[in-house]
Amino acid sequence: CVPVMRRDRDEVREFLTGLARLSVRGVEVGWEPLTAGGRRVELPTYAFQRERFWLEAGWSVTDAAGLGQSAADHPLVGAVVGLAGGEGVVLTG
């Protein structure tokens, strides 16, 4: 048994959430009427399968210029970013 009607909440969203909860608990749910024209895809079940799904970055993480910043020649300040108005800067560490 799962709740599907809650005060001040979207009925369709709550209904679909209830169906998903039933499905996770092993109840056979016919998703076909809701996913007409779609297809199933396999998702990784283990978070550490050593498969990357991130976009490749064009700049190194330590490269301040790649983030629109200027490198700071200071032991505690990593980079300097000019404010949009042209007056002042923001220092990052």
Side-chain angles (χ1 to χ4, degrees), residues 32-78:
E32 291 77 21
L34 298 171
T35 59
R39 63 182 175 88
R40 287 182 178 238
V41 294
E42 291 296 321
L43 297 176
T45 57
Y46 182 62
F48 304 102
Q49 287 181 311
R50 303 208 188 279
E51 290 185 48
R52 292 180 47 99
F53 296 98
W54 297 100
L55 297 174
E56 295 298 325
W59 297 85
S60 171
V61 175
T62 58
D63 182 16
L67 301 172
Q69 304 172 351
S70 302
D73 188 27
H74 191 276
L76 298 177
V77 177

Side-chain angles (χ1 to χ4, degrees), residues 1-4 6 14 16-29 31:
C1 179
V2 295
V4 294
R6 296 190 178 180
E14 288 300 309
L16 293 175
T17 300
L19 285 178
R21 287 181 179 165
L22 288 172
S23 178
V24 167
R25 291 184 176 113
V27 175
E28 196 68 33
V29 176
W31 295 105

